[in-house]
Amino acid sequence: EDAFVIDLGTEGVFIERAAELPIGEEGELHIPWPGSEVPMRARCRVAWWHPAEEKLASKSLPAGAGLQFLEMSEADRARLRAHLEDYCRQDPRVPRFLRHWPDAEKLGDDPGA
C-alpha cells in the first residue's frame, strides 16, 4: 500500500495511516528515492502506533505508525545517511536533535583520513 512519510531518520520512519497496525508486525518498506529509479528498501517492524485523537508532548502528528528499520543493505543505509546529512546542512533552521553538527574527525568519519 502507499503511505505518506512524515518523519525519516537513520533508525526508522513515521508513516501516516488511518487504520491501526499491530505493534511488532513486520514488513518490507520501499521508499522512492530522489534521483534514482531504485527505491530504498528496508525490512521494518511497527515500533509504535499513534491514534489521531491522542496528543504528543513533543510534536503534532496525524494517525500513523513508527516503523523501526530492522534490515537494510549497506548501500541503502549510505544513501539514507547522505540524504539526511544533505537535508540537515541545507538550512541552519532545519530541525534536528543535535545542537551542533558533529566534527567528522572526532567521529572517525573523516573522508580525508
Side-chain angles (χ1 to χ4, degrees):
E1 76 182 65
D2 289 336
F4 187 74
V5 171
I6 302 223
D7 195 3
L8 178 65
T10 57
E11 299 299 317
V13 63
F14 182 83
I15 60 167
E16 184 176 8
R17 190 170 198 274
E20 184 172 355
L21 288 171
I23 296 193
E25 183 173 304
E26 294 186 12
E28 187 165 316
L29 179 69
H30 301 211
I31 298 177
W33 208 250
S36 177
E37 292 183 18
V38 179
M40 184 191 88
R41 298 174 189 262
R43 192 168 69 76
C44 304
R45 78 168 187 91
V46 178
W48 58 283
W49 173 257
H50 172 66
E53 63 277 359
E54 284 189 25
K55 301 291 181 211
L56 294 173
S58 61
K59 59 176 107 177
S60 175
L61 290 173
L67 306 178
Q68 176 188 17
F69 298 141
L70 298 175
E71 290 179 17
M72 182 186 305
S73 73
E74 287 305 315
D76 279 340
R77 192 165 301 281
R79 282 199 299 178
L80 174 60
R81 183 171 181 86
H83 176 75
L84 293 171
E85 286 175 357
D86 288 346
Y87 179 78
C88 288
R89 286 186 175 122
Q90 74 182 350
D91 187 325
R93 295 171 299 194
V94 170
R96 57 184 175 264
F97 295 108
L98 295 175
R99 297 201 186 284
H100 65 281
W101 195 256
D103 184 350
E105 289 179 10
K106 290 180 184 174
L107 293 176
D109 294 338
D110 183 9

